[in-house]
Amino acid sequence: MSELTLWGRSSSSNVRKVIWALTELELDYRRVDAGGAFGVVHDAAYLQLNPNGLVPCLQQGDFVLWESNAIVRYLADVHGQGSLLPDGARARAAADKWMDWASTAFAGPFRDIFWNSVRATPAQRSETEIQRGWEQGAALLRIADATLARQPYLSGERFGMGDIPLATLLQALRTLPDAFPALPHLDAWYGRLQQRKGMQLLESLSLR
């Protein structure tokens, strides 16, 4: 099988989802820094791979895939039977739901907090957006907490692809001095994820 190449900087939350999946699946791959200060994404050669000019992008021979959740799902489908990929159509759909929820509903509050706290210059920083992000994010996390009161993982009875997107965003937010209010089931879930080598690798990689 052709070598896997992951295009994208390790500080990108979307790239970090894919790094986690590749690590969990113990797949060999080459990562090429792209995006942000590294540039590359607007080069003609890269735009042939991903015409959106964004990261991540996964390349394996002549197969190219972009969109982080699609990449994680692909890796789970091809390499994650019995691990990242839940068993059965309904279980997979439930995991898909949490992946998309994290990338749509929770991504807005995440951007409000993280972009203003980490990426923005002092002149660009909006305290209003930061406060809005913490408030909206806390309300959304109560939804996840309620699910985790009934099952150990968002993916179901075992860890899977449905856990990765939200956990990746929370890992970034937990590097900040502020924090969401404690939620017992969510916090216990996060503690279990910290025992996994994929999360441990993310915690060793700079977000700056």
Side-chain angles (χ1 to χ4, degrees):
M1 187 173 287
S2 304
E3 179 186 49
L4 284 166
T5 299
L6 172 61
W7 297 81
R9 67 192 192 281
S10 62
S11 59
S12 160
S13 60
N14 286 326
V15 174
R16 291 163 82 88
K17 295 180 204 176
V18 182
I19 291 174
W20 189 344
L22 289 164
T23 302
E24 289 288 339
L25 296 170
E26 298 182 334
L27 296 174
D28 293 328
Y29 69 98
R30 179 175 69 102
R31 187 175 62 79
V32 179
D33 281 321
F38 295 102
V40 176
V41 294
H42 298 302
D43 293 350
Y46 185 81
L47 290 171
Q48 288 295 312
L49 300 175
N50 185 352
N52 300 288
L54 299 170
V55 293
C57 183
L58 187 75
Q59 183 179 16
Q60 188 171 35
D62 59 0
F63 177 70
V64 176
L65 186 62
W66 32 267
E67 291 299 324
S68 58
N69 284 355
I71 295 171
V72 172
R73 289 177 179 124
Y74 167 74
L75 293 172
D77 188 45
V78 174
H79 304 283
Q81 302 285 341
S83 58
L84 286 187
L85 188 70
D87 297 324
R90 290 186 178 183
R92 289 194 293 273
D96 280 341
K97 170 188 69 181
W98 285 108
M99 294 180 74
D100 291 342
W101 179 87
S103 298
T104 55
F106 193 76
F110 171 81
R111 281 191 297 269
D112 281 345
I113 299 166
F114 197 77
W115 190 87
N116 281 288
S117 299
V118 177
R119 304 280 188 234
T121 65
Q124 294 171 323
R125 182 182 172 105
S126 169
E127 295 293 343
T128 300
E129 290 181 358
I130 292 173
Q131 182 63 28
R132 180 181 68 194
W134 287 115
E135 291 174 356
Q136 292 181 349
L140 288 167
L141 290 179
R142 286 195 286 272
I143 298 172
D145 186 70
T147 292
L148 291 165
R150 302 188 298 269
Q151 60 193 53
Y153 296 98
L154 295 176
S155 295
E157 291 303 311
R158 59 179 172 84
F159 170 80
M161 63 185 189
D163 297 278
I164 290 176
L166 179 60
T168 301
L169 298 180
L170 288 180
Q171 190 272 322
L173 293 179
R174 285 184 175 222
T175 65
L176 302 177
D178 294 321
F180 290 111
L183 293 169
H185 309 295
L186 185 88
D187 293 343
W189 164 79
Y190 191 85
R192 288 190 288 275
L193 297 185
Q194 286 183 300
Q195 306 306 309
R196 306 196 68 87
K197 56 188 176 182
M199 172 68 90
Q200 292 168 0
L201 175 59
L202 294 194
E203 290 179 333
S204 73
L205 298 174
S206 174
L207 284 153
R208 307 287 172 167

